[in-house]
Amino acid sequence: MAEVTRLIDAAAAGDRRAAGELLPLVYDELRAIAAARMAQERPGQTLDATALVHEAYLRLIGDQAFANRGHFFAAAAEAMRRILVDAARRKKRDRHGGGRERVELPDVPARDPDERLLALDDALTRLAAEDELAARVVELRHFAGLGHEGVAETLGITVYLARQKWTYARAWLRDAMTS
Amino acid sequence: MSANPNPAEAIFLAAADIADPAGRAALLDERCAGNPELRRRIELLLKAHDAPDSLLDQPVPTAEELPTRAMPVEQSDTTQAYGRTLDDEEELDALAFLAPSGRPDSLGKIGQYDVLEVLGKGAFGIVFRAFDDKLQRVVAVKVLAPSLATTSPARKRFLREARSSASVRHEHVVQVHAVEEQPLPHLVMEFVPGETLQQRLDRTGPLDVLEVVRIGRQIAEGLTAAHATGLIHRDIKPSNILVDSGPAATVKITDFGLARAADDASLTRSGVVAGTPMYMAPEQAKGESLDHRADLFSLGSVLYVMATGRPPFRASSTFAVLKRVAEDEPRPIREIIPETPDWLCRIVGKLHAKDPAERYQLACEVAEVLRDCEEQMKSDGLVKDWTRIPAGAAPRPRRRRWAAFSVPTLLALAAIVWFASGPIRSRFKGVPVDANTGRLIVEVRDPGQVSIEIFNEGEQVVTRRLLDHSRGQAFNDLLPFGRWHVVARYAGVTSPFREVFELGPEGKTVVVPAFAGPPSPTSEPARAVAPFDAAQAKAHQDAWAKYLGVPVEFTDEFHHTFRLIPPGEFEMGTSEKDVEKLIAESLSDKVWEWSYPRLRSESPVRKVRIESAFYMATHETTVRQFRDFVKATGYKTRAERDGGGWVYKGLNAERKPDAVWNSPKYFVSDDAPVGYLVRDDADAYCRWLSRKTGQDVALPTEERWEYACRAGTTTAWSHSHNPDELKRYAWTSDAIDSPLKTVGLRVPNPFGLYDMHGNVDELTLNAAGEAFLRGGSVSELAVMARSARRVPVDDFLPYRASGFRIVTTGDLKKAAAKRESPTASADGFAPLFNGKNLTGWKTVGGTPATWAVENGAIRAAGSEGYLVGDQSFGEFQFKAEVRISPDGKWSILTHVDPTELGMKGKSPRGIGIELTDKGPTNDVQGHRSMEVKLTRDGLPLAIGGANLKPNDWFPIEVTVRDSKIDARFKDGSVGASNLKPGLARGSIALHLAKGNSAVEFRAMEIRELPATSTRAKPDPDVVKAIKAKLAAAESALAIAEARFRAAVAPKTEVLTQQLAVIDVKIDLAEVENRQADVVNLAEQAVKILGDRREMLAALIKNGRIPAGDLIGADAAVAEAKLRLARAKLKLPETKP
């Protein structure tokens, strides 16, 4: 707990190394929670990424009031994106695996959700090159489940701008993913 | 508005705000003049903006989809699931209260919800599809019509009913997420894409029987959950049943309790009942008071309409319908659809009884019956077993065939008594109710020190508590539905009590029995000769455990849990005929040819006898366990030494250096089975564990494995012949080289072994010592995971799913040694009483009881008095049989100074074992309850008890040794362990403690135990054992602290673990003669216990726990202070 808050404080104070150290911590925690949840949840029940991120927050930071939460969510969004993309990659790889006792698999559907997630990831990277802020907005909203207010708070921008960036980025990404 | 540096973005955003195409075009004309490329770019963005896209519109991807399951590509679009569409005028009216929204595709906002679409209008308001801005999900929002919302009672009732319906969480009930009051009362619900049952019926006409039963069963299940919270729907009808458009076509009930709110409102306005009365119950139609059984009548009507396509009670006017509901029988279903099976008509008939008392009494009963029919129809195509079908179409109270009833039905029937005895809500009075919770009660029958743990599959511990000699309820609260474990550990006994069960709405009572004590030298129980069923499997295990004096289950210090597998006989393998049939039916394709020789090696079937009992690990050895071994020994697996295991790529297998047991790339969870192993690796693990535990740990033989796997079954799998059922029991049929699954998540086999089928392929040995893999793996088909399936170890080992589970001897070696000399322990006993006269005993002056010998027993009667023996004893084992007159009270005193006996107002020093007849017991008819109390110097140490018949002899055995006292009697025991400072040698005295009663003693025997010499030098083995305990306690503390930090455990859990660590540390300090440390530690314990007491006091003040809980805390503080005082006494004099 102390470790994370210390890192977040340091990151808030502009220590880039601290920000770098924060990410793996949050990533590990999220991955562990996600794995545990995957194992626990019954089919049909879903647990959204927002809940995961919030659980990770509780575990790492606890219930205390904490001013610099934004840094945590920024790290969590990036971690969640990596986790989801890794999972999609892994699934894809597993599908193309082969082996000793063969199990028939249905053809990979055309609009495979994993493919789409990977495409989104790709497009998001390209968007970041063109408009970093827009990409961060998407990351926070889509992968950490933050609302416009949360996004604005985390990135230190107005809610209005957060909303504008989202609208723009969404169109940009859809276009990038279809073309 | 901040200046936007990107012109494309700025123009796009401006254009996106304009809904009208002409307006947009005008804007683009103006802003992109002379820049066709920019214009094209913006047009593309606008096109993307307007195109709905599931990926960025839907809520964030869910964790559940991470592992293997595919994300739903596209939600089926909205349908008219919520009733008719509004006409324009109404719609305008309905939208007047919406606040403006910033979202371009939104009609407006209500609270945090962006309204996307009007779905329809119900009896009391408007329903929208909306997007929850905060939680980023699509929801349905139901708004109380503005005209109703102004009426205060309607508004209040709407809010109240809606709030109580929010507590119902069930698969077949539309989840209410939130209830808001402003700007108009509204209700935020789960959005269910699909149609209503009414729309479905309008579209398709009558449904086929299986569909009727399936939907009816789901409605009944949803009602069960709602009724459990005391909520009555009051308006079950096809338009309130939503049918999900997903592949599972799940059915969900909506609008719980809202009918009443709507009724109220309309009655206030017009005096007319709102909505359609066609599905109402007669008591409802007549305006009488109603209970949950009204919903069951309506369910009958819904079944009727599904089967026939028309509602049962139809008439031209509302009033006429009401009259028909109240008085008429509906037209027989078979007159409309002749092929409807009779059993379905009978079920509907019973639900349609005019008198609620003649209907099914509980929704769960209906669900049970329908589920049974559904399963029979699915497997046999028709319902053959009619034991649950009500007799006759016209329901009359009839004698039922009780014997044929299943346990759940009986439970349901038992619950009726509950319901009948009061209003439904009273069942859960004063307890916060959540609909997907059931009540768990844990009762402890053991009078000693018992620790209780309650946890679910995810090891989320609800409670972990230590109960000091407390019989009675250890736990009584509501818990979420699902699989739960209750584990109770008895003080000083290695085998825990464990019960794993599925908690449902009917709740569960777990009884922790008293520890059974040492084995009675009875004759050998029957061997477990297959076939036997699950109950018999358990009975065999219990009988052999009792006979051998070993636990059915135990857990070693390396976290392996083992189950006792009794000796027995079974038929091993698969017959030639069945193998060929399997090949022909499932594996006829040429691609399977390579597997035929392996399959044929399962033949012939031969009878195998398992000579002796053994313990098998309940789980496959996990990565975590294997890591302990590697950490301790530095072992390198074959794969690590030889360039890695095999990884499958396309049709080729390839060795990868990183394909090893601890590779994070291949192992998702530490609690998954360890893989990439060969036999040498598993053998090394077994050798290490044998050394560590002093037991014979080994790989199972093929015979033992298959016998344990089958657990009495003769079917292909240890549950049935049906591969579809395997999903409940095993992980199989995933893609090639799939990740292994966390162990123990599926249902165990009848012997209590998990994952025998599937997950990891398990290494076993045949008679010639060759290794075979058994049980199939997560990547293989169900047919490859049959009980008899065997695969010779080939060149492609190790691969990801090559692992193992172990067998061990446990306490069996010790038990066998003990059985070989069964009389040895009895030998040392000497009689304390010769059965003829009082030689060796004398009465104590001044105590008036009369003591005499009658029929070989010492009898005391009259007033209170003592009889004291001549000899004195230090540490000993004492046995006697006692008989007490009703309401009598009696005690044996040990370690007493005879001169202290009979002194007025002062208890003699020493140990007392006090028996009191407490009068007739409620537990067993005609029995009396006997309290057994241990005291020291007249102060209580522990209390236990047993039931016995009047004038029964009550056997009791008392052992005093090593500063511990342990009293065992008829069906229980009490004990105390803190007899420090040690007891001086003393006499044994008998005490008739109450006048006007009588007591008899006979068969008194005593055996002096060799004095445990003061430990000059600590025994290294003892120190080692305590240190291992300390390590375990410290890791438990670390876990508790982590859980506390994560806000999933209360502070008290941390304190409890801290105390456990201190206790062990005190033991260690005492063994090592570090008295000063003992004092320090004891001081810490007092402080922590004080903190805990304060915390409990605060909880009691807030009404979170009952006040009685403080007594235990106070006692613990007092005991700790006593321990501290004693520890200080022992400090050397030199200390200031």
Side-chain angles (χ1 to χ4, degrees), chain B residues 15-38:
Chain B
D17 266 348
I18 304 172
D20 159 42
R24 268 192 190 178
L27 181 95
L28 294 186
D29 284 346
E30 184 204 324
R31 303 275 297 264
C32 305
N35 193 343
E37 205 174 307
L38 178 66

PDB file of all heavy atoms in Angstrom, chain B residues 15-38:
ATOM      1  N   ALA B  15     -19.521  20.016 -36.914  1.00  0.00           N
ATOM      2  CA  ALA B  15     -20.486  19.368 -37.807  1.00  0.00           C
ATOM      3  C   ALA B  15     -21.254  18.274 -37.080  1.00  0.00           C
ATOM      4  O   ALA B  15     -22.453  18.081 -37.317  1.00  0.00           O
ATOM      5  CB  ALA B  15     -19.753  18.799 -39.029  1.00  0.00           C
ATOM      6  N   ALA B  16     -20.563  17.566 -36.188  1.00  0.00           N
ATOM      7  CA  ALA B  16     -21.215  16.459 -35.485  1.00  0.00           C
ATOM      8  C   ALA B  16     -22.353  16.954 -34.605  1.00  0.00           C
ATOM      9  O   ALA B  16     -23.292  16.216 -34.312  1.00  0.00           O
ATOM     10  CB  ALA B  16     -20.187  15.697 -34.646  1.00  0.00           C
ATOM     11  N   ASP B  17     -22.244  18.201 -34.175  1.00  0.00           N
ATOM     12  CA  ASP B  17     -23.296  18.774 -33.337  1.00  0.00           C
ATOM     13  C   ASP B  17     -24.559  19.082 -34.132  1.00  0.00           C
ATOM     14  O   ASP B  17     -25.606  19.357 -33.555  1.00  0.00           O
ATOM     15  CB  ASP B  17     -22.795  20.066 -32.677  1.00  0.00           C
ATOM     16  CG  ASP B  17     -22.240  19.777 -31.300  1.00  0.00           C
ATOM     17  OD1 ASP B  17     -22.460  18.647 -30.807  1.00  0.00           O
ATOM     18  OD2 ASP B  17     -21.587  20.659 -30.727  1.00  0.00           O
ATOM     19  N   ILE B  18     -24.447  19.119 -35.442  1.00  0.00           N
ATOM     20  CA  ILE B  18     -25.609  19.437 -36.275  1.00  0.00           C
ATOM     21  C   ILE B  18     -26.231  18.131 -36.765  1.00  0.00           C
ATOM     22  O   ILE B  18     -25.555  17.326 -37.410  1.00  0.00           O
ATOM     23  CB  ILE B  18     -25.187  20.291 -37.492  1.00  0.00           C
ATOM     24  CG1 ILE B  18     -24.458  21.540 -36.988  1.00  0.00           C
ATOM     25  CG2 ILE B  18     -26.394  20.646 -38.345  1.00  0.00           C
ATOM     26  CD1 ILE B  18     -23.821  22.351 -38.085  1.00  0.00           C
ATOM     27  N   ALA B  19     -27.469  17.911 -36.387  1.00  0.00           N
ATOM     28  CA  ALA B  19     -28.107  16.651 -36.751  1.00  0.00           C
ATOM     29  C   ALA B  19     -28.607  16.679 -38.198  1.00  0.00           C
ATOM     30  O   ALA B  19     -28.581  15.666 -38.888  1.00  0.00           O
ATOM     31  CB  ALA B  19     -29.255  16.367 -35.791  1.00  0.00           C
ATOM     32  N   ASP B  20     -29.035  17.838 -38.627  1.00  0.00           N
ATOM     33  CA  ASP B  20     -29.674  17.968 -39.939  1.00  0.00           C
ATOM     34  C   ASP B  20     -28.628  17.919 -41.059  1.00  0.00           C
ATOM     35  O   ASP B  20     -27.669  18.701 -41.061  1.00  0.00           O
ATOM     36  CB  ASP B  20     -30.455  19.306 -39.931  1.00  0.00           C
ATOM     37  CG  ASP B  20     -30.717  19.809 -41.325  1.00  0.00           C
ATOM     38  OD1 ASP B  20     -31.059  18.990 -42.188  1.00  0.00           O
ATOM     39  OD2 ASP B  20     -30.574  21.035 -41.538  1.00  0.00           O
ATOM     40  N   PRO B  21     -28.772  16.993 -42.017  1.00  0.00           N
ATOM     41  CA  PRO B  21     -27.748  16.796 -43.062  1.00  0.00           C
ATOM     42  C   PRO B  21     -27.489  18.073 -43.880  1.00  0.00           C
ATOM     43  O   PRO B  21     -26.340  18.374 -44.195  1.00  0.00           O
ATOM     44  CB  PRO B  21     -28.331  15.715 -43.959  1.00  0.00           C
ATOM     45  CG  PRO B  21     -29.444  15.095 -43.182  1.00  0.00           C
ATOM     46  CD  PRO B  21     -29.903  16.088 -42.167  1.00  0.00           C
ATOM     47  N   ALA B  22     -28.552  18.800 -44.124  1.00  0.00           N
ATOM     48  CA  ALA B  22     -28.382  20.001 -44.942  1.00  0.00           C
ATOM     49  C   ALA B  22     -27.528  21.008 -44.183  1.00  0.00           C
ATOM     50  O   ALA B  22     -26.634  21.648 -44.748  1.00  0.00           O
ATOM     51  CB  ALA B  22     -29.743  20.609 -45.268  1.00  0.00           C
ATOM     52  N   GLY B  23     -27.801  21.118 -42.900  1.00  0.00           N
ATOM     53  CA  GLY B  23     -27.030  22.034 -42.070  1.00  0.00           C
ATOM     54  C   GLY B  23     -25.570  21.653 -42.043  1.00  0.00           C
ATOM     55  O   GLY B  23     -24.683  22.505 -42.117  1.00  0.00           O
ATOM     56  N   ARG B  24     -25.342  20.347 -41.959  1.00  0.00           N
ATOM     57  CA  ARG B  24     -23.964  19.854 -41.923  1.00  0.00           C
ATOM     58  C   ARG B  24     -23.248  20.223 -43.214  1.00  0.00           C
ATOM     59  O   ARG B  24     -22.123  20.718 -43.204  1.00  0.00           O
ATOM     60  CB  ARG B  24     -23.958  18.338 -41.811  1.00  0.00           C
ATOM     61  CG  ARG B  24     -23.899  17.868 -40.391  1.00  0.00           C
ATOM     62  CD  ARG B  24     -23.602  16.387 -40.402  1.00  0.00           C
ATOM     63  NE  ARG B  24     -23.771  15.852 -39.059  1.00  0.00           N
ATOM     64  CZ  ARG B  24     -23.628  14.574 -38.759  1.00  0.00           C
ATOM     65  NH1 ARG B  24     -23.341  13.704 -39.706  1.00  0.00           N
ATOM     66  NH2 ARG B  24     -23.773  14.173 -37.519  1.00  0.00           N
ATOM     67  N   ALA B  25     -23.965  19.955 -44.321  1.00  0.00           N
ATOM     68  CA  ALA B  25     -23.364  20.204 -45.623  1.00  0.00           C
ATOM     69  C   ALA B  25     -22.994  21.683 -45.743  1.00  0.00           C
ATOM     70  O   ALA B  25     -21.909  22.031 -46.212  1.00  0.00           O
ATOM     71  CB  ALA B  25     -24.323  19.792 -46.733  1.00  0.00           C
ATOM     72  N   ALA B  26     -23.895  22.522 -45.234  1.00  0.00           N
ATOM     73  CA  ALA B  26     -23.649  23.964 -45.334  1.00  0.00           C
ATOM     74  C   ALA B  26     -22.390  24.317 -44.546  1.00  0.00           C
ATOM     75  O   ALA B  26     -21.548  25.094 -45.013  1.00  0.00           O
ATOM     76  CB  ALA B  26     -24.850  24.732 -44.778  1.00  0.00           C
ATOM     77  N   LEU B  27     -22.273  23.709 -43.368  1.00  0.00           N
ATOM     78  CA  LEU B  27     -21.108  24.002 -42.539  1.00  0.00           C
ATOM     79  C   LEU B  27     -19.824  23.580 -43.244  1.00  0.00           C
ATOM     80  O   LEU B  27     -18.833  24.317 -43.273  1.00  0.00           O
ATOM     81  CB  LEU B  27     -21.232  23.275 -41.195  1.00  0.00           C
ATOM     82  CG  LEU B  27     -20.062  23.553 -40.260  1.00  0.00           C
ATOM     83  CD1 LEU B  27     -20.388  24.690 -39.309  1.00  0.00           C
ATOM     84  CD2 LEU B  27     -19.667  22.308 -39.494  1.00  0.00           C
ATOM     85  N   LEU B  28     -19.872  22.358 -43.839  1.00  0.00           N
ATOM     86  CA  LEU B  28     -18.682  21.855 -44.508  1.00  0.00           C
ATOM     87  C   LEU B  28     -18.338  22.735 -45.706  1.00  0.00           C
ATOM     88  O   LEU B  28     -17.166  23.020 -45.965  1.00  0.00           O
ATOM     89  CB  LEU B  28     -18.885  20.400 -44.935  1.00  0.00           C
ATOM     90  CG  LEU B  28     -19.028  19.393 -43.791  1.00  0.00           C
ATOM     91  CD1 LEU B  28     -19.082  17.973 -44.333  1.00  0.00           C
ATOM     92  CD2 LEU B  28     -17.875  19.513 -42.794  1.00  0.00           C
ATOM     93  N   ASP B  29     -19.399  23.144 -46.416  1.00  0.00           N
ATOM     94  CA  ASP B  29     -19.175  24.028 -47.581  1.00  0.00           C
ATOM     95  C   ASP B  29     -18.361  25.233 -47.149  1.00  0.00           C
ATOM     96  O   ASP B  29     -17.401  25.633 -47.802  1.00  0.00           O
ATOM     97  CB  ASP B  29     -20.521  24.517 -48.146  1.00  0.00           C
ATOM     98  CG  ASP B  29     -21.200  23.400 -48.939  1.00  0.00           C
ATOM     99  OD1 ASP B  29     -20.501  22.405 -49.245  1.00  0.00           O
ATOM    100  OD2 ASP B  29     -22.414  23.503 -49.214  1.00  0.00           O
ATOM    101  N   GLU B  30     -18.792  25.777 -46.002  1.00  0.00           N
ATOM    102  CA  GLU B  30     -18.182  27.017 -45.570  1.00  0.00           C
ATOM    103  C   GLU B  30     -16.763  26.791 -45.050  1.00  0.00           C
ATOM    104  O   GLU B  30     -15.819  27.456 -45.461  1.00  0.00           O
ATOM    105  CB  GLU B  30     -19.063  27.639 -44.468  1.00  0.00           C
ATOM    106  CG  GLU B  30     -18.579  28.993 -44.015  1.00  0.00           C
ATOM    107  CD  GLU B  30     -19.058  29.309 -42.606  1.00  0.00           C
ATOM    108  OE1 GLU B  30     -20.185  28.926 -42.235  1.00  0.00           O
ATOM    109  OE2 GLU B  30     -18.270  29.933 -41.859  1.00  0.00           O
ATOM    110  N   ARG B  31     -16.608  25.767 -44.141  1.00  0.00           N
ATOM    111  CA  ARG B  31     -15.334  25.637 -43.436  1.00  0.00           C
ATOM    112  C   ARG B  31     -14.263  24.932 -44.259  1.00  0.00           C
ATOM    113  O   ARG B  31     -13.077  25.085 -43.980  1.00  0.00           O
ATOM    114  CB  ARG B  31     -15.537  24.880 -42.113  1.00  0.00           C
ATOM    115  CG  ARG B  31     -16.564  25.505 -41.169  1.00  0.00           C
ATOM    116  CD  ARG B  31     -15.988  26.588 -40.311  1.00  0.00           C
ATOM    117  NE  ARG B  31     -14.947  26.134 -39.409  1.00  0.00           N
ATOM    118  CZ  ARG B  31     -15.153  25.801 -38.126  1.00  0.00           C
ATOM    119  NH1 ARG B  31     -16.381  25.844 -37.620  1.00  0.00           N
ATOM    120  NH2 ARG B  31     -14.147  25.443 -37.374  1.00  0.00           N
ATOM    121  N   CYS B  32     -14.698  24.111 -45.235  1.00  0.00           N
ATOM    122  CA  CYS B  32     -13.691  23.379 -45.997  1.00  0.00           C
ATOM    123  C   CYS B  32     -13.525  23.945 -47.408  1.00  0.00           C
ATOM    124  O   CYS B  32     -13.005  23.258 -48.295  1.00  0.00           O
ATOM    125  CB  CYS B  32     -14.051  21.895 -46.113  1.00  0.00           C
ATOM    126  SG  CYS B  32     -14.307  21.119 -44.539  1.00  0.00           S
ATOM    127  N   ALA B  33     -13.999  25.144 -47.559  1.00  0.00           N
ATOM    128  CA  ALA B  33     -13.944  25.727 -48.910  1.00  0.00           C
ATOM    129  C   ALA B  33     -12.518  25.653 -49.423  1.00  0.00           C
ATOM    130  O   ALA B  33     -11.575  26.051 -48.736  1.00  0.00           O
ATOM    131  CB  ALA B  33     -14.449  27.173 -48.869  1.00  0.00           C
ATOM    132  N   GLY B  34     -12.376  25.100 -50.620  1.00  0.00           N
ATOM    133  CA  GLY B  34     -11.064  25.061 -51.249  1.00  0.00           C
ATOM    134  C   GLY B  34     -10.154  23.962 -50.731  1.00  0.00           C
ATOM    135  O   GLY B  34      -8.989  23.904 -51.085  1.00  0.00           O
ATOM    136  N   ASN B  35     -10.673  23.104 -49.910  1.00  0.00           N
ATOM    137  CA  ASN B  35      -9.824  22.019 -49.390  1.00  0.00           C
ATOM    138  C   ASN B  35     -10.586  20.697 -49.449  1.00  0.00           C
ATOM    139  O   ASN B  35     -11.075  20.200 -48.451  1.00  0.00           O
ATOM    140  CB  ASN B  35      -9.405  22.333 -47.946  1.00  0.00           C
ATOM    141  CG  ASN B  35      -8.277  21.408 -47.497  1.00  0.00           C
ATOM    142  OD1 ASN B  35      -8.039  20.366 -48.111  1.00  0.00           O
ATOM    143  ND2 ASN B  35      -7.607  21.791 -46.418  1.00  0.00           N
ATOM    144  N   PRO B  36     -10.734  20.131 -50.661  1.00  0.00           N
ATOM    145  CA  PRO B  36     -11.550  18.918 -50.816  1.00  0.00           C
ATOM    146  C   PRO B  36     -10.998  17.751 -49.971  1.00  0.00           C
ATOM    147  O   PRO B  36     -11.753  16.911 -49.487  1.00  0.00           O
ATOM    148  CB  PRO B  36     -11.460  18.605 -52.311  1.00  0.00           C
ATOM    149  CG  PRO B  36     -10.277  19.365 -52.815  1.00  0.00           C
ATOM    150  CD  PRO B  36     -10.101  20.556 -51.930  1.00  0.00           C
ATOM    151  N   GLU B  37      -9.691  17.707 -49.802  1.00  0.00           N
ATOM    152  CA  GLU B  37      -9.101  16.603 -49.033  1.00  0.00           C
ATOM    153  C   GLU B  37      -9.570  16.655 -47.576  1.00  0.00           C
ATOM    154  O   GLU B  37      -9.956  15.643 -46.993  1.00  0.00           O
ATOM    155  CB  GLU B  37      -7.583  16.726 -49.088  1.00  0.00           C
ATOM    156  CG  GLU B  37      -6.875  15.394 -48.890  1.00  0.00           C
ATOM    157  CD  GLU B  37      -5.381  15.574 -49.101  1.00  0.00           C
ATOM    158  OE1 GLU B  37      -4.999  16.103 -50.174  1.00  0.00           O
ATOM    159  OE2 GLU B  37      -4.623  15.234 -48.188  1.00  0.00           O
ATOM    160  N   LEU B  38      -9.531  17.875 -47.021  1.00  0.00           N
ATOM    161  CA  LEU B  38      -9.988  18.060 -45.646  1.00  0.00           C
ATOM    162  C   LEU B  38     -11.459  17.674 -45.527  1.00  0.00           C
ATOM    163  O   LEU B  38     -11.878  16.985 -44.601  1.00  0.00           O
ATOM    164  CB  LEU B  38      -9.780  19.525 -45.227  1.00  0.00           C
ATOM    165  CG  LEU B  38     -10.254  19.894 -43.824  1.00  0.00           C
ATOM    166  CD1 LEU B  38      -9.439  19.178 -42.756  1.00  0.00           C
ATOM    167  CD2 LEU B  38     -10.182  21.408 -43.604  1.00  0.00           C
TER     168      LEU B  38
END
